[in-house]
Amino acid sequence: MPLSTTLSDAVLIERSWRDPEDFALLFDRHAGHIHRYVARRLGDDTADDVVFETFLAAFRLRRDYDTARPEALPWLYGITTNFIRRYQRAEMHRYKAYSKVGVLPEADDAAEQALERASAHAVRRPLAQALASLKARDRDVLLLVAWADLTYEEVAGALSIPIGTVRSRLNRARAVVRDALGSTDPTMEQTS
């Protein structure tokens, strides 16, 4: 097993202080996750730019990284979210367009796409409208949980906000989504 796959993100970042080329291993490990998240929010073309900007900023900020946190992905999502805010107008146009045609950005995993198509076809338009109506900070929290699969603690770290703020923003966002979908919440797992 290559050494790069056994090292934590924190160790890679710390090593990159002495050997900047080690930071490329962090890029290799996480760029795909960041790209998929941004592409769902802003589209593929913009995602390439945001991923580049994210990792360039992370490289410049790497000495400020808290190496007590072994996983850097939440930190990278926080940087990414700051860049997404710069593209907020484009994101709003996408959600408004989705709400008109009833198509949401899809994940790239075939099984997830099939499940989304089967279960979400009827809710796409109202969901897109709900996403467009959310305050940016509430939408950021919701999408970091729903699309990036971050925990509340990871979202708090990514956005540099208290965990209670994550909970309240997520609660507000879920209420808007539930309202738009007729009291169903697609972010909550259903039991049969």
Side-chain angles (χ1 to χ4, degrees):
M1 178 177 288
L3 185 61
S4 63
T5 60
T6 61
L7 297 176
S8 72
D9 294 342
V11 170
L12 288 176
I13 291 170
E14 192 170 3
R15 285 177 44 158
S16 78
W17 298 345
R18 293 178 301 282
D19 186 2
E21 290 181 13
D22 281 347
F23 198 81
L25 299 170
L26 194 71
F27 177 88
D28 293 342
R29 190 177 282 178
H30 297 302
H33 298 286
I34 299 294
H35 190 277
R36 281 187 293 279
Y37 176 70
V38 176
R40 289 184 81 179
R41 290 194 67 176
L42 301 175
D44 273 328
D45 295 337
T46 306
D48 293 339
D49 294 338
V50 172
V51 170
F52 170 77
E53 292 174 35
T54 295
F55 279 92
L56 181 60
F59 181 79
R60 290 178 178 154
L61 295 169
R62 71 190 191 279
R63 289 193 181 274
D64 297 332
Y65 181 76
D66 178 4
T67 55
R69 296 171 54 194
E71 299 301 320
L73 193 57
W75 176 66
L76 292 168
Y77 277 121
I79 294 169
T80 301
T81 299
N82 289 332
F83 284 111
I84 285 173
R85 287 184 185 137
R86 293 184 184 173
Y87 292 90
Q88 210 76 46
R89 186 174 298 157
E91 181 182 36
M92 290 305 301
H93 288 298
R94 278 175 62 89
Y95 290 131
K96 287 177 182 175
Y98 297 148
S99 71
K100 289 177 183 170
V101 297
V103 176
L104 281 172
E106 298 201 14
D108 59 0
D109 178 67
E112 188 175 339
Q113 286 179 12
L115 180 60
E116 279 186 15
R117 280 192 299 274
S119 65
H121 183 71
V123 298
R124 286 184 175 170
R125 209 170 261 147
L127 179 57
Q129 289 169 336
L131 289 173
S133 73
L134 291 173
K135 291 181 181 178
R137 62 185 187 205
D138 294 346
R139 184 174 44 252
D140 289 340
V141 169
L142 177 69
L143 297 179
L144 284 169
V145 169
W147 287 356
D149 292 324
L150 294 186
T151 65
Y152 292 9
E153 293 82 7
E154 290 170 332
V155 172
L159 299 179
S160 299
I161 58 176
I163 196 164
T165 302
V166 170
R167 287 187 175 105
S168 62
R169 289 180 184 178
L170 187 58
N171 186 48
R172 276 194 303 271
R174 283 182 170 157
V176 169
V177 169
R178 265 192 310 272
D179 248 10
L181 300 179
S183 297
T184 60
D185 185 350
T187 66
M188 303 299 282
E189 291 189 27
Q190 303 288 326
T191 56
S192 6

